[in-house]
Amino acid sequence: MRKSVLAVAVIGSMMAGFAAQAETMPEGYQLQQVLIMSRHNLRAPLANNGSVLEQSTPNKWPEWDVPGGQLTTKGGVLEVYMGHYMREWLAEKGMVTTGECPPPDAVYAYANSLQRTVATAQFFITGAFPGCDVPVHHQDKMGTMDPTFNPVITDSSAAFSQQAVKAMSDERQKMNLGESYKLLETFVDYQNSPACKEKKVCFLSEAKDTFSAPFEKEPGVDGPLKVGNSLVDAFTLQYYEGFPADQVAWGQIKTDKQWRVLSELKNGYQDSLFTSPEVARNVAAPLVKYIDKTLVTNAGKGPKVTLLVGHDSNIASLLMALDFKPYTLHDQYERTPIGGKIVFERWRDAAGNRELMKIEYLYQSTQQLRNADVLTLQAPPQRVTLELKGCPVDADGYCPVDKFNEVLNNAAK
């Protein structure tokens, strides 16, 4: 493991203290341990020039100031804001002390070894613990996937591959994406695209998807779902980055409904590949085992705060592998938003002499991302309480820790 420490200048106004806004929680509850599973923050589109983006439209794509897939400058700023908010929240709960660096080994940060994930972790730590020597751990060789975060098929049998492909195809069949494809075809002028002229594929809604699940590779799909995901992902990132409205999808997206219809393609891509139970349990197994070790096996022995930074595929497969109930994220089009975080919170109820678990989805709304809103206790990110099917929550969102441990232990087998 290599340790990377990011040195930055102090941003005075942002790092100034903010008046705390009380968060409703039962009296006498004490936060004991936190594990944050984060998606990286804002990046440039993965599909570069000459790829599916250029093949799918005659229009010229706007330029980005970083290579495809890398965290943008704004992505770093957004993550600093999120880190700063988390520091204020942790201080309010008595987990850290405002104005002081955390004790050695109290905070552990671990990221997948790609630029966008390592940089996200560094910026989060900078926002949460400015001026403190809190390293970000990752593999030595940058640009390669860390096994903990690599959502690849780990069963080498032909039978499992066939089972996985069927499961992905079945997930896709549950979706009605016809309206989304037709809207997208209009916005990108698909009938005048190189793909239409050269490959004679002129209607995404009429093309077929082909799924694959090769051993030691990520679940994959070729066809309109992959094309649709790449295009809508690019539009979404343009919007978050703050491109002028006439440059986001060339000014074609004008309503909230249009965003939601288009986003069904991006969410459908992720759901097809990573949320069938068969695939999710397989590809999320290393991450589940890491979380089980941190929150169950070593509970109370390791760091008080653990930050993990990976990808939307990690979060989507993790939520299915642990069998969370369906959830809705308000003020967001993405099911696993850029920079979003699953926050596992272990609490102690002194009066009841019991330990509890609360799990929340912490994320920035589409407007908070586009506007680069500073996050504070008084202007917080969005929070949605999640519930495991195997660990029902009470009215305040808490479930018994022994039930949580049972869920994790079973999933990690």
Side-chain angles (χ1 to χ4, degrees):
M1 286 284 188
R2 193 172 85 194
K3 300 181 180 181
S4 298
V5 181
L6 183 69
V8 297
V10 175
I11 307 174
S13 61
M14 187 191 66
M15 296 306 173
F18 293 92
Q21 177 172 293
E23 181 182 342
T24 303
M25 65 179 182
E27 185 176 354
Y29 279 32
Q30 177 62 50
L31 187 61
Q32 302 286 312
Q33 184 183 15
V34 173
L35 183 144
I36 304 164
M37 177 60 229
S38 176
R39 183 187 176 190
H40 59 76
N41 216 294
L42 184 57
R43 56 163 170 76
L46 292 169
N48 292 316
N49 293 338
S51 66
V52 65
L53 296 185
E54 282 196 341
Q55 290 295 309
S56 301
T57 179
N59 301 327
K60 180 177 174 56
W61 290 91
E63 296 292 329
W64 288 72
D65 60 2
V66 297
Q70 289 200 4
L71 195 77
T72 68
T73 300
K74 182 176 180 180
V77 171
L78 292 167
E79 198 61 32
V80 168
Y81 290 165
M82 185 66 90
H84 176 68
Y85 166 79
M86 284 299 296
R87 166 60 177 263
E88 293 292 310
W89 181 76
L90 289 168
E92 182 189 49
K93 300 296 179 285
M95 287 278 284
V96 299
T97 303
T98 300
E100 295 181 8
C101 289
D105 302 324
V107 178
Y108 187 82
Y110 173 30
N112 189 28
S113 44
L114 301 183
Q115 185 271 350
R116 60 183 176 274
T117 43
V118 172
T120 293
Q122 291 173 332
F123 280 114
F124 179 93
I125 293 298
T126 297
F129 309 107
C132 301
D133 185 10
V134 179
V136 172
H137 300 258
H138 59 85
Q139 286 188 146
D140 288 340
K141 189 176 181 181
M142 289 289 288
T144 61
M145 295 290 288
D146 185 310
T148 300
F149 300 99
N150 199 5
V152 298
I153 300 295
T154 58
D155 189 323
S156 61
S157 70
F160 180 81
S161 180
Q162 293 171 1
Q163 181 185 17
V165 167
K166 183 181 184 302
M168 290 187 284
S169 180
D170 289 347
E171 286 294 323
R172 169 64 184 89
Q173 293 306 312
K174 298 176 184 177
M175 307 167 193
N176 183 2
L177 300 176
E179 182 184 0
S180 303
Y181 280 129
K182 289 177 181 177
L183 190 64
L184 182 62
E185 288 168 356
T186 300
F187 285 178
V188 301
D189 192 12
Y190 198 72
Q191 288 189 308
N192 289 307
S193 69
C196 175
K197 293 179 178 179
E198 298 168 11
K199 301 177 183 177
K200 308 305 179 186
V201 179
C202 298
F203 295 95
L204 290 170
S205 54
E206 296 178 3
K208 301 297 182 183
D209 291 311
T210 303
F211 293 93
S212 61
F215 178 52
E216 295 186 334
K217 300 288 185 183
E218 286 193 28
V221 60
D222 284 320
L225 194 59
K226 182 177 181 179
V227 174
N229 173 70
S230 295
L231 292 167
V232 176
D233 180 61
F235 297 157
T236 304
L237 296 171
Q238 290 170 356
Y239 185 79
Y240 291 162
E241 183 69 10
F243 280 60
D246 62 354
Q247 291 185 25
V248 177
W250 309 283
Q252 297 281 345
I253 307 176
K254 302 181 185 300
T255 68
D256 181 76
K257 181 181 177 181
Q258 289 175 330
W259 270 116
R260 294 196 179 279
V261 169
L262 289 174
S263 295
E264 288 178 8
L265 292 171
K266 192 171 186 297
N267 292 329
Y269 173 87
Q270 183 182 87
D271 286 350
S272 295
L273 295 187
F274 295 106
T275 68
S276 66
E278 297 87 345
V279 173
R281 292 177 189 134
N282 184 267
V283 302
L287 184 58
V288 169
K289 290 178 181 177
Y290 188 94
I291 294 174
D292 178 63
K293 181 179 179 181
T294 303
L295 292 179
V296 180
T297 306
N298 294 333
K301 303 174 186 176
K304 286 187 175 182
V305 179
T306 300
L307 171 68
L308 307 178
V309 182
H311 307 269
D312 53 356
S313 55
N314 295 134
I315 290 178
S317 58
L318 175 68
L319 292 177
M320 177 54 68
L322 297 182
D323 206 10
F324 277 86
K325 291 185 176 181
Y327 63 91
T328 299
L329 302 184
H330 53 83
D331 301 309
Q332 248 297 343
Y333 305 121
E334 293 188 283
R335 191 158 303 144
T336 53
I338 280 283
K341 292 161 175 58
I342 308 298
V343 184
F344 295 84
E345 309 159 14
R346 183 183 292 274
W347 292 80
R348 172 73 179 168
D349 170 19
N353 190 29
R354 58 182 184 152
E355 288 194 339
L356 302 166
M357 177 64 62
K358 187 173 187 179
I359 308 170
E360 298 182 282
Y361 211 137
L362 186 70
Y363 63 97
Q364 289 149 299
S365 70
T366 55
Q367 289 302 312
Q368 285 176 318
L369 290 166
R370 181 165 174 82
N371 299 335
D373 291 339
V374 175
L375 303 175
T376 71
L377 290 174
Q378 293 182 322
Q382 313 305 308
R383 298 186 87 110
V384 170
T385 300
L386 301 178
E387 182 175 5
L388 291 158
K389 291 181 180 178
C391 194
V393 301
D394 61 21
D396 297 304
Y398 298 85
C399 77
V401 82
D402 58 337
K403 290 288 187 182
F404 172 79
N405 291 350
E406 185 178 335
V407 170
L408 261 288
N409 285 332
N410 289 336
K413 289 180 180 176

